[in-house]
Amino acid sequence: MASVKNLFLFSCLISIGAYACPELSAQYANCKSPRGTGSTSSNMVITQSTSNNVTSYQMAFTNDETQSRSEQTLVGDHTPRKTSQTDPITGVVYDTFTTTHCEDDVLVVTTDLQMGGKPFGHLVISMYRLDEGMMQSMEGELFGKPVSQSLICR
């Protein structure tokens, strides 16, 4: 009986660890490609909170070049969320369908994009802690073309 109890406790610990959300709260002053090319933001601030075993991330970004600011909240509960956005240059409205969850201390954000009900993109972004910062990698497809990008934020 003791071995069954130990097996149950061990499987619970594995399950808890598999869904652990990473600690990403910080102010990142510099986000760049690991290849050293370009800077995508001069400032990114992430705060996070947990309620009812669900971790939420509030993110604020400031772009180096344009000084434009944007904010986003990601909720790690694996629930799809729809938002509509307008491209500031073209004025085109598009929809995003985003699902966020935690997997082995990695925040995984899956986004499907649609315009006029027709899909035009699928992106998967993974975010996790580094020793002195955070790694963000994106893989997917936009308008039928592959997309792959990584950022290291410190």
Side-chain angles (χ1 to χ4, degrees), residues 35 109-111 122-126 136-142 145-150:
R35 291 177 233 133
V109 182
T110 303
T111 301
H122 174 80
L123 302 171
V124 178
I125 300 170
S126 299
Q136 179 178 351
S137 63
M138 178 176 62
E139 301 288 332
E141 186 177 297
L142 283 174
K145 305 258 188 225
V147 175
S148 180
Q149 179 182 355
S150 294

Side-chain angles (χ1 to χ4, degrees), residues 56-69:
S56 297
Y57 297 85
Q58 294 73 39
M59 302 179 177
F61 309 92
T62 304
N63 184 286
D64 264 356
E65 297 166 13
T66 65
Q67 292 304 306
S68 64
R69 183 174 164 81

Side-chain angles (χ1 to χ4, degrees), residues 1-13:
M1 185 69 163
S3 63
V4 172
K5 181 180 176 184
N6 289 341
L7 182 61
F8 173 75
L9 290 173
F10 180 71
S11 67
C12 287
L13 288 174

Side-chain angles (χ1 to χ4, degrees), residues 30-85:
N30 190 350
C31 293
K32 291 188 177 182
S33 164
R35 291 177 233 133
T37 58
S39 174
T40 60
S41 72
S42 58
N43 190 353
M44 178 171 28
V45 178
I46 299 177
T47 58
Q48 73 186 69
S49 59
T50 302
S51 177
N52 297 323
N53 293 322
V54 175
T55 302
S56 297
Y57 297 85
Q58 294 73 39
M59 302 179 177
F61 309 92
T62 304
N63 184 286
D64 264 356
E65 297 166 13
T66 65
Q67 292 304 306
S68 64
R69 183 174 164 81
S70 63
E71 294 182 6
Q72 180 176 18
T73 299
L74 300 171
V75 182
D77 63 357
H78 223 293
T79 300
R81 290 177 171 76
K82 177 185 175 186
T83 59
S84 294
Q85 300 184 26

